[in-house]
Amino acid sequence: MKISIDIDCTPEEARKFLGLPDVEPMQQALMQQIQERLESNMKAMDVDSLVSTWLPAGMQGLEQMQKMFWSQMGVGGDAGSGASKPDPKEPKG
């Protein structure tokens, strides 16, 4: 024996019939709070602040390495270019 019953009602009518609370106002308030938090976090996500918080030590190390390279290139003059100075004792020609 098989019995089937079809009930045509809206979710709101089913909640009322079963005695369940209406949680829609709570859901709307929660969604509003989530949206406000997301908006405030998106405003704080500019590239400069993200890079400064993620890589403060790394950027400092890169700056030091760059200064070292520039100082080596500036101090040696043509020493880094591979050209050698002529020996005054050797005869020309």
Side-chain angles (χ1 to χ4, degrees):
M1 176 194 259
K2 184 176 181 181
I3 299 174
S4 109
I5 300 174
D6 291 327
I7 299 174
D8 186 22
C9 67
T10 65
E12 183 179 345
E13 291 171 341
R15 273 196 304 270
K16 286 181 182 178
F17 178 74
L18 296 173
L20 298 174
D22 184 18
V23 293
E24 187 177 349
M26 182 180 67
Q27 288 174 339
Q28 288 178 354
L30 184 62
M31 291 304 292
Q32 181 65 31
Q33 287 178 358
I34 291 172
Q35 182 177 355
E36 290 170 0
R37 286 183 183 179
L38 284 174
E39 288 174 357
S40 67
N41 287 338
M42 290 300 288
K43 289 177 185 174
M45 292 182 86
D46 64 13
V47 175
D48 293 334
S49 66
L50 286 176
V51 170
S52 67
T53 55
W54 288 348
L55 304 171
M59 293 301 286
Q60 212 170 30
L62 288 174
E63 287 177 14
Q64 290 173 351
M65 185 180 293
Q66 185 181 26
K67 287 178 184 177
M68 181 186 71
F69 284 138
W70 283 113
S71 67
Q72 291 296 320
M73 292 184 80
V75 171
D78 62 350
S81 66
S84 61
K85 294 182 181 179
D87 190 6
K89 295 178 184 177
E90 286 185 27
K92 292 183 181 180

